[in-house]
Amino acid sequence: MLLILLGTLPLFAQAQPSVEIRVNLRGYPMELPKKALVLSKTELAKPVLLLKKSDGTIVREYSGTPIDQAWAPFSDYHDFDFSDFKEKGAYYFELKGSSTASQPFRIGPYPAWQNDVVDFIRTQRCGFNPYTGEFCHQKDGLSFFGLRPDSTRIDATGGWHDAGDQLKYLITGSNTTARMLMAYQMKPGSFTDEYNARGLKGANELPDILDEAKWGLEWLLKLHPGPEELYHQVADDRDHRGFKLPHEENADYGWGPNSFRPVYFATGKPQGLSKYKSEATGIANLAGRSAATLALGYEVFSAIKGYESFAETCLQSAKELYAMGEKQEGYQQGNSYGAPYRYEENTWADDMEWAAAKLYKITKDKTYLKEARAYAKMIGAWSWMERDTASHYEMYPFVNMGHYALWQVGTEKDKKEAIGYYEHNLARIQDRANKNPYGIGHLFIWCSNNLAAAVATQAILYEEMTGSRKYRPLMQNHVNWLLGLNPWNSSMITGIPENADTPVDVHMPFWRLKKESIKGSLVDGPIWATIHDKMIGITLSEPDEYAHLQPDHVKYNDDWADYSTNEPTLDGSAELLLILTSLSHD
């Protein structure tokens, strides 16, 4: 009776229906697993979904499977597997016996959204910002903790703003650059050429993703101005003085607004210019990851006419940075000043494995291969995937690319071991996913969407390494989560999919000051209520549009005032690149 009466309930009740259908708001590639969920506040007896074409024609019926787990405010969940259906087209589901319908979706390859991600990253450029058309932060910066006297001027201009603010980190900038290079290597023909090296409109016979990767590589080279020097961060949380456009910088680090900013040298020791100190035991995470990224830069640009000299510079710096990492094994974290929040990376052997494997591939020097194996055994299967919780950016990057790089160049034994490490992680995620109504197994810590993307990425790489489709459902479930098959019925990527509910009111100056939404960025994502409730300074700017959908234990808000769940991030967006490149048509 409830289902029959839904269509006649008062308007205020219809706004908060008792039954809802969840689908991936874009849809599903033809050959990949497909699922939908029905969520109800009362028990449903054997629900059936009608798969309909966009014109209303019924093409198939599917029966649901009850799910033991349920997230409030819905108490009854049913899973619908329609993986057998592979006909390309536009569809929606309707619950049989009611007017309850899903959002429309498509079956077929995804659009080339990886280009939109690159477009977002371009808007975060520092030095000259092509989105605003203005120069910014031309006085970056003055060095601290380094081999040179404090306040020595060095050139740290360039790079990207990090996460809705105007700080710059080698921690995330290096990984962002690497992901762009890897995505290009995966499908070189799937990237557009619509912008020039400055990021302005106009083709330059270089794919835009490589223009952007080169921008990142050039900044990495600036942060390594000498064989024994490596800088890792520009500015700190003194930046956080409200929303401002990059060229209207109002932060004062002691030299006046819009003036010099500190550039932190990687010492391998705890740092901080105020009460909050980072932890550090070495610099191998930064040196190793930067070396791997520069080696990738050599691989890509050495094959492009006119960029051979640039490629050689990347390779020489990669070798120097790797040697620095060997001398100072351990990790360097990000620095904060007025708040306790920082990037708390505390692993490093994976980064050194990555660099060693890439350098072996280029040089054929077997010393690198031997060292890559040693670092691989050192890190093993250790990952956030093995944990039930983790600190902010602990065990970053969220996919061990060292194992993948060693698999690419190693012996059969090396390949088997690398596969085993990935398998161990994915099996742990699968165990958690089996207890989750959405079939996901990542953690709901700060930047949880990065972790969901990491699971999908690792599953994609695992399939490449093994040929096994074992973890395809796990991969697709995490992609589904990011594209709207979640409690909020919202994508977690700005502007993607088109014509769907996506983040709009984001913690980003371009939105707050110009009311301009930038397509292609991944927001931080849902976090456990136990963490969210303790975050400093979060008071929503307007009533929660998802209040009737919020689970008790996990929170997400599309509200600029919630920096913890709705802040677009540089590296989080880069986490999407391998996924979207893999799932898109050429």
Side-chain angles (χ1 to χ4, degrees):
M1 181 66 70
L2 170 66
L3 301 181
I4 295 173
L5 294 177
L6 277 176
T8 62
L9 288 174
L11 289 177
F12 70 86
Q14 289 186 26
Q16 298 184 18
S18 296
V19 181
E20 296 206 6
I21 302 172
R22 293 287 184 269
V23 294
N24 180 315
L25 295 175
R26 161 60 194 190
Y28 312 82
M30 289 174 287
E31 299 301 322
L32 290 179
K34 305 172 188 69
K35 71 177 291 181
L37 290 181
V38 170
L39 290 55
S40 176
K41 294 181 179 178
T42 59
E43 185 176 352
L44 298 179
K46 299 181 179 179
V48 172
L49 285 182
L50 305 177
L51 180 62
K52 293 187 172 185
K53 292 184 178 181
S54 55
D55 64 4
T57 303
I58 299 174
V59 294
R60 197 75 62 89
E61 290 190 7
Y62 289 93
S63 298
T65 302
I67 300 175
D68 292 337
Q69 305 83 21
W71 287 9
F74 297 94
S75 57
D76 191 68
Y77 276 65
H78 284 78
D79 178 278
F80 293 79
D81 186 332
F82 61 111
S83 302
D84 63 317
F85 192 81
K86 301 178 181 180
E87 185 177 332
K88 190 174 180 180
Y91 303 92
Y92 67 96
F93 275 119
E94 186 175 279
L95 186 64
K96 190 173 184 179
S98 83
S99 60
T100 299
S102 74
Q103 295 295 308
F105 61 89
R106 299 190 65 84
I107 294 177
Y110 288 172
W113 285 328
Q114 62 271 21
N115 290 300
D116 294 309
V117 175
V118 175
D119 290 346
F120 166 74
I121 293 172
R122 185 185 308 109
T123 69
Q124 303 307 296
R125 282 194 186 189
C126 185
F128 174 73
N129 187 285
Y131 186 73
T132 63
E134 301 280 355
F135 288 91
C136 67
H137 302 110
Q138 292 297 293
K139 294 185 178 181
D140 285 347
L142 301 181
S143 68
F144 286 87
F145 299 110
L147 303 181
R148 312 177 191 205
D150 280 356
S151 298
T152 297
R153 180 74 186 272
I154 66 165
D155 181 8
T157 57
W160 299 288
H161 303 133
D162 187 63
D165 52 36
Q166 291 162 24
L167 283 70
K168 299 187 291 190
Y169 293 92
L170 180 59
I171 285 177
T172 52
S174 55
N175 194 43
T176 297
T177 306
R179 293 303 179 90
M180 286 190 281
L181 293 164
M182 293 178 68
Y184 174 78
Q185 289 178 323
M186 177 183 280
K187 282 187 182 180
S190 65
F191 295 95
T192 56
D193 176 18
E194 298 178 358
Y195 295 84
N196 62 26
R198 296 186 68 207
L200 300 175
K201 273 286 188 180
N204 63 343
E205 299 184 359
L206 191 70
D208 296 331
I209 194 169
L210 294 189
D211 284 319
E212 213 54 38
K214 188 171 184 287
W215 183 267
L217 290 167
E218 289 170 342
W219 191 62
L220 266 62
L221 293 172
K222 286 184 177 182
L223 298 189
H224 176 57
E228 300 296 329
E229 290 185 279
L230 181 62
Y231 295 87
H232 70 99
Q233 180 174 324
V234 179
D236 53 46
D237 56 12
R238 282 174 283 182
D239 165 274
H240 298 165
R241 293 172 54 88
F243 291 98
K244 69 262 188 175
L245 296 176
H247 59 282
E248 296 174 345
E249 177 65 80
N250 61 7
D252 186 346
Y253 293 87
W255 303 280
N258 206 11
S259 185
F260 298 110
R261 303 197 296 178
V263 184
Y264 291 98
F265 186 86
T267 59
K269 298 177 181 179
Q271 293 181 353
L273 294 175
S274 186
K275 62 184 281 190
Y276 295 105
K277 307 296 181 185
S278 65
E279 296 179 5
T281 61
I283 67 168
N285 60 328
L286 301 175
R289 185 154 66 251
S290 298
T293 302
L294 288 160
L296 280 163
Y298 171 83
E299 283 186 338
V300 170
F301 283 97
S302 63
I304 302 175
K305 186 176 181 180
Y307 293 89
E308 296 89 349
S309 177
F310 174 71
E312 290 294 338
T313 300
C314 289
L315 179 58
Q316 179 59 34
S317 291
K319 292 176 180 178
E320 292 172 358
L321 286 166
Y322 180 79
M324 288 180 68
E326 284 189 300
K327 291 179 182 177
Q328 296 187 70
E329 292 183 342
Y331 58 86
Q332 183 92 52
Q333 297 183 343
N335 294 347
S336 62
Y337 186 89
Y341 305 137
R342 65 178 188 272
Y343 290 135
E344 299 180 50
E345 182 179 4
N346 62 7
T347 50
W348 56 271
D350 54 326
D351 299 298
M352 293 296 287
E353 175 193 2
W354 191 4
K358 298 308 294 183
L359 287 170
Y360 169 68
K361 182 179 179 182
I362 295 166
T363 67
K364 305 305 180 186
D365 182 341
K366 291 186 178 179
T367 301
Y368 287 125
L369 180 58
K370 179 180 178 181
E371 291 171 353
R373 290 171 179 149
Y375 287 125
K377 291 184 182 300
M378 193 178 297
I379 192 70
W382 185 236
S383 162
W384 67 267
M385 298 182 189
E386 302 298 303
R387 297 272 294 275
D388 291 325
T389 190
S391 299
H392 187 48
Y393 276 64
E394 188 179 0
M395 295 170 281
Y396 181 79
F398 303 121
V399 178
N400 183 336
M401 290 300 181
H403 290 334
Y404 176 67
L406 182 56
W407 172 84
Q408 288 179 310
V409 300
T411 63
E412 287 305 312
K413 181 180 179 182
D414 296 326
K415 292 180 186 296
K416 183 177 179 180
E417 289 180 353
I419 290 168
Y421 296 138
Y422 268 21
E423 167 84 26
H424 195 280
N425 295 154
L426 291 171
R428 180 77 172 101
I429 295 293
Q430 185 68 69
D431 287 343
R432 285 202 291 263
N434 292 339
K435 303 170 186 175
N436 182 291
Y438 295 89
I440 54 166
H442 64 280
L443 309 178
F444 293 108
I445 57 176
W446 197 355
C447 295
S448 69
N449 282 341
N450 295 20
L451 306 187
V455 174
T457 298
Q458 188 153 318
I460 287 170
L461 297 180
Y462 175 87
E463 182 168 331
E464 178 188 340
M465 294 159 73
T466 64
S468 170
R469 300 183 176 185
K470 178 179 181 180
Y471 289 110
R472 274 194 175 185
L474 188 69
M475 181 278 293
Q476 188 65 48
N477 285 346
H478 286 82
V479 172
N480 291 345
W481 175 267
L482 296 176
L483 290 177
L485 208 168
N486 55 48
W488 308 275
N489 201 30
S490 173
S491 167
M492 296 289 155
I493 310 169
T494 57
I496 294 174
E498 300 81 1
N499 303 314
D501 187 9
T502 67
V504 174
D505 193 15
V506 295
H507 191 86
M508 173 68 69
F510 295 147
W511 170 252
R512 288 295 298 147
L513 300 177
K514 298 167 71 69
K515 292 301 179 184
E516 295 175 357
S517 180
I518 311 298
K519 185 179 182 182
S521 65
L522 185 71
V523 297
D524 284 337
I527 61 177
W528 282 312
T530 52
I531 298 176
H532 188 267
D533 293 347
K534 296 177 182 178
M535 300 296 290
I536 297 172
I538 294 178
T539 301
L540 297 188
S541 66
E542 58 188 13
D544 177 13
E545 66 197 274
Y546 299 125
H548 63 294
L549 300 174
Q550 293 283 6
D552 295 333
H553 66 303
V554 179
K555 303 300 178 185
Y556 168 72
N557 296 296
D558 186 11
D559 190 308
W560 67 266
D562 189 352
Y563 61 86
S564 70
T565 69
N566 210 39
E567 183 176 63
T569 62
L570 173 73
D571 69 294
S573 302
E575 288 280 351
L576 295 171
L577 282 169
L578 295 180
I579 301 168
L580 297 181
T581 302
S582 174
L583 299 181
S584 73
H585 55 71
D586 290 321

